[in-house]
Amino acid sequence: MKIVIPGGSGALGNLLDRSLTAAGHQVVVLSRRPAGPRRIGWDGRSLGAWAAEVDGSDVVLNLAGRSVNCRYTEENRKAMMDSRVHSTRAVGQAIAAARRPPAVWLQMSTATVYAHRHDAPNDELSGLIGGDEPDAPASWRYSIDIARAWEDAQVEADTPDTRRLALRTAVVLGPERGGAFDSLSWLARLGAGGPIAGGAQYVSWIHDRDFVRAVEFLIDREELTGPVNLAAPNPLPQREFMRDLRMAWGMPLALPAARWMAEVGAFALRSETELLLKSRRVVPTRLLDAGFTFEHPDWPWAARNLVRRLRGR
């Protein structure tokens, strides 16, 4: 198959490029700064010569969007929103204009679209979309607005001959240096990976190999459309998540962090406490109902696998 990956020059794009190419597929990456073979330039906003790669392709997998690991200034919020909405609209326009449109369009989304909650998990069928939670800061609402606008841009596209899926993805954990798992491991190994603000907030995650396998599964399942949660089936509270990670590294003890300490740390790292404090209790009901089997459904074993792979790098 020919698979086009707009916004595929980041960590997830590189992961999918390697895996899908190794599986025998022809992968083309659209990037604002193309470098190397199979890299095509685009601006992420408007139609251009890049659209010829979409015409006649089998799959489009749009990952484009500015990183959310930043301070949520007005400028950064606008960049996060615009980079997602504009790129999704441009992809939709390219598919609509194609003489031979792709069979399926997988659009990156986020598990952050769901409500901050501890009482029950959120799935695609009965999960609560966030934005009105009484115990969540008003500043968290903008992330929900971005997620909804991102998905709406795909829904509004005029692509009747192309199956569409929105991938509501939890944090993807792999062994690459500088990635999310590497950063969490650094905290755990220093003894700083304790409970944050009590640690009751849930962490949803997915092992990198299950992420790739789920994408391949969804490409082949012609009956599936709409939102699909890409998250391991067993999210767990942050205090347990970090405890299991510390155990995988052989670090039994860690200092807890109060909420104000998390605020100071996030400011110093030019990030936001929403990434640490929001309870993301998300489960993949549609994937499981369709017959997908996770290789790494439980965090303790997934953490050990990732630690072994990170140590081997």
Side-chain angles (χ1 to χ4, degrees), residues 106-153:
L106 293 90
Q107 172 62 47
M108 182 58 73
S109 182
T110 173
T112 297
V113 73
Y114 292 111
H116 165 77
R117 66 189 302 192
H118 303 81
D119 60 324
N122 286 311
D123 72 359
E124 308 94 331
L125 307 178
S126 60
L128 303 177
I129 300 300
D132 299 314
E133 307 95 311
D135 58 343
S139 60
W140 293 3
R141 174 63 188 260
Y142 196 75
S143 296
I144 307 298
D145 292 342
I146 290 174
R148 297 180 76 164
W150 202 4
E151 292 188 5
D152 287 346

Side-chain angles (χ1 to χ4, degrees), residues 81-104:
M81 176 73 84
D82 289 351
S83 63
R84 285 161 173 75
V85 172
H86 292 164
S87 63
T88 303
R89 287 175 178 166
V91 169
Q93 290 166 1
I95 294 174
R99 289 173 296 178
R100 290 194 298 127
V104 59

Side-chain angles (χ1 to χ4, degrees), residues 34-97:
R38 299 182 292 105
R39 300 300 196 265
I40 304 295
W42 81 323
D43 65 1
R45 300 177 63 92
S46 54
L47 285 178
W50 60 268
E53 299 293 339
V54 172
D55 195 347
S57 67
D58 300 288
V59 179
V60 171
L61 173 51
N62 184 25
L63 306 178
R66 189 209 192 281
S67 172
V68 299
N69 190 18
C70 62
R71 296 297 291 178
Y72 289 179
T73 63
E74 286 302 315
E75 180 182 0
N76 286 341
R77 285 182 173 184
K78 186 176 188 302
M80 288 188 291
M81 176 73 84
D82 289 351
S83 63
R84 285 161 173 75
V85 172
H86 292 164
S87 63
T88 303
R89 287 175 178 166
V91 169
Q93 290 166 1
I95 294 174

Side-chain angles (χ1 to χ4, degrees), residues 18-32:
R18 290 193 306 270
S19 302
L20 295 170
T21 299
H25 302 297
Q26 177 191 356
V27 177
V28 175
V29 172
L30 305 184
S31 172
R32 290 180 175 85

Side-chain angles (χ1 to χ4, degrees), residues 95-299:
I95 294 174
R99 289 173 296 178
R100 290 194 298 127
V104 59
W105 170 13
L106 293 90
Q107 172 62 47
M108 182 58 73
S109 182
T110 173
T112 297
V113 73
Y114 292 111
H116 165 77
R117 66 189 302 192
H118 303 81
D119 60 324
N122 286 311
D123 72 359
E124 308 94 331
L125 307 178
S126 60
L128 303 177
I129 300 300
D132 299 314
E133 307 95 311
D135 58 343
S139 60
W140 293 3
R141 174 63 188 260
Y142 196 75
S143 296
I144 307 298
D145 292 342
I146 290 174
R148 297 180 76 164
W150 202 4
E151 292 188 5
D152 287 346
Q154 185 191 34
V155 171
E156 293 165 2
D158 184 17
T159 58
D161 298 319
T162 299
R163 179 167 59 96
R164 288 174 284 188
L165 291 149
L167 310 181
R168 292 178 175 172
T169 308
V171 60
V172 180
L173 298 178
E176 70 278 355
R177 295 293 181 181
F181 182 75
D182 189 24
S183 298
L184 292 168
S185 292
W186 180 77
L187 291 174
R189 295 164 75 183
L190 288 177
I196 299 175
Q201 65 274 27
Y202 275 77
V203 178
S204 285
W205 56 278
I206 186 169
H207 190 282
D208 63 340
R209 290 178 176 167
D210 278 333
F211 172 74
V212 172
R213 292 178 58 249
V215 167
E216 293 175 315
F217 180 86
L218 291 171
I219 289 172
D220 291 337
R221 295 305 294 251
E222 296 181 358
E223 75 278 12
L224 290 177
T225 62
V228 177
N229 292 345
L230 267 58
N234 298 307
L236 67 171
Q238 185 267 342
R239 56 176 173 263
E240 297 176 20
F241 179 89
M242 290 305 297
R243 178 202 64 201
D244 293 338
L245 179 56
R246 294 196 309 271
M247 294 299 291
W249 281 108
M251 175 61 73
L253 302 176
L255 296 173
R259 189 183 186 102
W260 70 266
M261 297 170 69
E263 294 281 359
V264 172
F267 181 81
L269 295 172
R270 309 303 300 161
S271 187
E272 287 288 337
T273 56
E274 179 186 350
L275 302 175
L276 301 172
L277 300 178
K278 180 171 179 176
S279 186
R280 296 172 173 85
R281 192 175 180 184
V282 179
V283 294
T285 296
R286 296 194 70 203
L287 267 179
L288 294 173
D289 286 351
F292 183 78
T293 302
F294 284 82
E295 290 182 353
H296 301 279
D298 300 300
W299 176 238

